[in-house]
Amino acid sequence: MTDLAELRAWQPFEITADGGQGTPEALAELLRGHEDFAGLLTREKAVVFRGFHLTEETLDPVLNLLLPNRLAYVHGNSPRTKVGSNVYTSTEYPQELTISMHNELSYGRRWPSRLVFFCATAPATGGATPIVDGELWLASLDPEVREAFAGGVRYTQNLHDGLGLGKSWQETFETSDRAEVEAYLRGAECDWKWLPDGTLRITQVRHSTLTHPETGAEVWFNQSDQWHPASLGDETAAELAQILPEEELPQSVTFADGSPIPAEHVLQVRDRGLENAVDVDWHQGDLMVIDNVAVGHGRRSFTGPRRVLVAMTD
């Protein structure tokens, strides 16, 4: 494991246009001329571009260079809106809420290797995208918590048929074709069943950590804290428990063997991820690329309008 002091000192790598007077064309030219951007991203884990005055209208050529195979947000569990060719709004949770750290689609059989965030409208206050080194996140957890998660986790989703809590299966898979959904789930090594009311219940057992394919670092790589009722807060969790049993919640999680995960474990995971994160503050036109295995990301609360778009590649 890398020295903890070195991990705590980590910051994303910033590339700023001379005098902040760059152009989208200049950024595209910079990327085309870079000999090994993939290697740079592996070394730095996150790269932020500032001062190139990108807009939504000029974003596509840059995304084409950074994300050669732009992916759809299929099987994603957070609310967002598709605004372009596999370009989406970032998670549309209320602005007063902080979104805890996570790696995109880490609960799936496959996940994107790289994400791009683009700031179309900067918030009045707050709204940073915190990013956390996954190796540091893992090292920050108490030994008994790391040991408890060693066997992996089991995720359960209940995706309604158009009316209910959370996202529908049609929204989640961007199709209304059951056969297409089932083909995806077979490829993703999920178990599923259709309930009488049209709800799709999906279960999948996944790892809790992952070895980075390039660096060999072991990183925290699961979304147990976001799927656990404890993350909702005591009051909200209690209200939901009165309405639905845990197995019928839109999403829930246990250890891989089906035993419950203690609330204090997932709260430690959530809190230490946020405590060890580095905030990336946004200015209109900024763009950030992250290695989705090396670092997790989240969102700080904010005021005023905020529009951050996200796209991903395998």
Side-chain angles (χ1 to χ4, degrees), residues 11-17 40 44 46-52 278-281 283 286-288:
Q11 294 283 323
F13 186 76
E14 292 198 7
I15 298 174
T16 302
L40 173 69
E44 302 294 344
V47 179
V48 180
F49 296 95
R50 301 192 190 273
F52 289 95
V278 176
D279 283 353
V280 176
D281 293 309
H283 306 281
D286 288 351
L287 182 143
M288 176 170 65

Side-chain angles (χ1 to χ4, degrees), residues 3 40 59 72 81 103 110 193 213 228 271 273 310:
D3 180 77
L40 173 69
L59 183 60
T81 303
N103 304 78
R110 301 179 185 86
K193 63 179 177 180
H228 196 285
D271 293 346
V310 64

Side-chain angles (χ1 to χ4, degrees), residues 12 48 91 165 199:
V48 180
T91 300
L165 293 174
T199 294

